[in-house]
Amino acid sequence: MSNGSGMNMPMSNSSVKSMNMQMSFYWGKDVIVLFSGWPDSNPGMYVLALFFVLFLGAAIEMMTMLQAAVKPGTRPILGAFIQAGVYIVRTCFAYMVMLSVMSYNVGIFIAALAGHGTGFFVIKIRALSKETEQQYSSPDCIPPKI
């Protein structure tokens, strides 16, 4: 049975318990993120869940740089194992963020977007600073006066 804001689903054939699943975006701290009973309507745990999803989103973006972090001269098989391991962890984090967003909680959705945006910003600012450093480290280049 559905009540308009969610969908009641039986937990198992032998159980009469039901779980109300939200089927549209909503605000509020009453949400289940990844695990049953977490954050469990506790405001402190909800904030922790927001930061956890934000961290996962940022980590996913930052791990994209680890794909190219294998040093030249590393044995190809070792480099491939390192890259595959990073890829597996990154994909696992991405699925965890996806499942979190599927709670349809607006706060969790915003935390996921903020995490991805923060991670992307950190990666790009690092890349730009390295590029600028390399550009001005050449002997015949004079840095601009500010």
Side-chain angles (χ1 to χ4, degrees):
M1 263 197 184
S2 175
N3 62 6
S5 66
M7 179 172 67
N8 291 327
M9 295 178 61
M11 296 297 278
S12 68
N13 292 338
S14 62
S15 173
V16 291
K17 291 183 182 179
S18 66
M19 178 174 77
N20 189 16
M21 290 182 61
Q22 194 69 29
M23 299 305 288
S24 60
F25 278 107
Y26 69 99
W27 283 101
K29 64 177 178 34
D30 298 329
V31 62
I32 296 174
V33 178
L34 297 177
F35 308 104
S36 179
W38 188 67
D40 198 28
S41 301
N42 182 339
M45 292 302 284
Y46 177 68
V47 170
L48 179 65
L50 292 175
F51 280 112
F52 180 70
V53 171
L54 189 138
F55 166 77
L56 285 177
I60 291 165
E61 296 298 327
M62 290 181 196
M63 290 178 89
T64 59
M65 289 302 292
L66 292 177
Q67 291 293 329
V70 177
K71 295 180 181 179
T74 304
R75 292 190 326 205
I77 190 76
L78 181 60
F81 274 121
I82 291 170
Q83 287 182 342
V86 169
Y87 180 79
I88 288 169
V89 172
R90 193 181 84 201
T91 304
C92 177
F93 285 1
Y95 276 116
M96 289 174 72
V97 169
M98 179 198 65
L99 289 172
S100 298
V101 169
M102 287 177 62
S103 70
Y104 292 105
N105 183 278
V106 174
I108 296 293
F109 180 68
I110 291 171
L113 291 176
H116 281 287
T118 301
F120 183 81
F121 177 77
V122 168
I123 292 304
K124 287 302 173 186
I125 200 75
R126 253 184 99 202
L128 287 173
S129 67
K130 281 184 179 180
E131 182 181 304
T132 305
E133 182 181 300
Q134 288 174 353
Q135 183 181 13
Y136 292 129
S137 66
S138 65
D140 51 311
C141 182
I142 301 169
K145 293 182 182 181
I146 299 175

